[in-house]
Amino acid sequence: MLRGNKIGLRARHEDDIPVLRTELYDDVVNSSRAEAGPWRPVAPGSDDPRLVVNDADERSVRFSVVELESGTLIGTATLWGIDNHNRIAHIGLGLLPSSRGKGYGTDVVATLCHYGFVVRGLHRLQIETLADNTAMLRSAEHNGFVREGVLRSSAWVMGEFMDEVLLGLLARDWKKMIGVDG
């Protein structure tokens, strides 16, 4: 398990799937805002890749997020679009409604940065999020991500086009921020 200050990132367990399905993916509005496509129901027992991890997929790593103190499942985190040639990847996360607003998101982003830069040896991490997602913007910027641009009207969400913010972080800048040479 990868450990942050408050959270741990671990492999997906079978008993995580019903909780994630019910509390994240069956929520039409939340799922529509988090996914790059339209909401669709996830049937029990489905092998939907958002829930069931495919270990053969080298382009993404999906974690379950747990609170360190209690071991309770609080969400999901992903390093996706991994490009080993250019050494880049994207970060995504989703917290259960009861776990939002407690600083877990900032810790998840920090732990994913450690995984991407130290464990995977990546050069750049990137986040795309809706322009009104202040929690994710705050978590990213707290971890050193820089706003690199706005993708105007790039996301179709619940009947309207919305802007997305593009944020990036380079390994050298992250290392300076956390006080590591190199």
Side-chain angles (χ1 to χ4, degrees):
M1 176 182 336
L2 292 170
R3 295 178 182 275
N5 293 320
K6 297 178 173 185
I7 61 90
L9 302 181
R10 64 158 169 76
R12 179 77 35 88
H13 295 175
E14 192 67 33
D15 56 348
D16 295 345
I17 293 172
V19 175
L20 294 174
R21 179 185 304 105
T22 301
E23 294 197 40
L24 285 181
Y25 301 115
D26 282 350
D27 178 338
V28 178
V29 173
N30 179 66
S31 187
S32 294
R33 291 178 54 80
E35 298 296 323
W39 177 84
R40 59 186 173 79
V42 179
S46 165
D47 61 352
D48 186 295
R50 296 172 298 172
L51 294 169
V52 178
V53 176
N54 175 359
D55 289 326
D57 180 6
E58 295 288 327
R59 293 193 38 86
S60 71
V61 180
R62 297 184 182 277
F63 298 97
S64 287
V65 181
V66 295
E67 182 184 52
L68 281 179
E69 192 173 299
S70 67
T72 303
L73 177 70
I74 61 171
T76 182
T78 308
L79 200 66
W80 62 275
I82 300 169
D83 177 340
N84 288 318
H85 175 73
N86 293 303
R87 295 177 47 205
I88 63 173
H90 303 259
I91 285 179
L93 66 99
L95 295 175
L96 303 181
S98 62
S99 300
R100 296 176 190 153
K102 299 179 179 179
Y104 295 134
T106 299
D107 203 24
V108 170
V109 172
T111 307
L112 284 171
C113 287
H114 173 82
Y115 178 71
F117 292 136
V118 175
V119 177
R120 300 292 299 236
L122 298 174
H123 172 69
R124 174 187 167 83
L125 294 174
Q126 186 167 305
I127 295 173
E128 301 86 3
T129 190
L130 295 175
D132 68 350
N133 187 348
T134 55
M136 184 58 158
L137 292 168
R138 216 175 14 247
S139 292
E141 290 172 337
H142 181 80
N143 281 289
F145 280 81
V146 175
R147 290 185 194 216
E148 296 178 335
V150 174
L151 306 170
R152 297 177 306 138
S153 293
S154 62
W156 178 253
V157 180
M158 299 297 292
E160 67 177 309
F161 283 104
M162 297 184 72
D163 293 348
E164 289 181 285
V165 176
L166 172 67
L167 303 107
L169 179 61
L170 301 179
R172 67 175 180 246
D173 298 334
W174 176 76
K175 286 177 181 177
K176 284 180 196 170
M177 189 189 79
I178 65 165
V180 174
D181 292 330

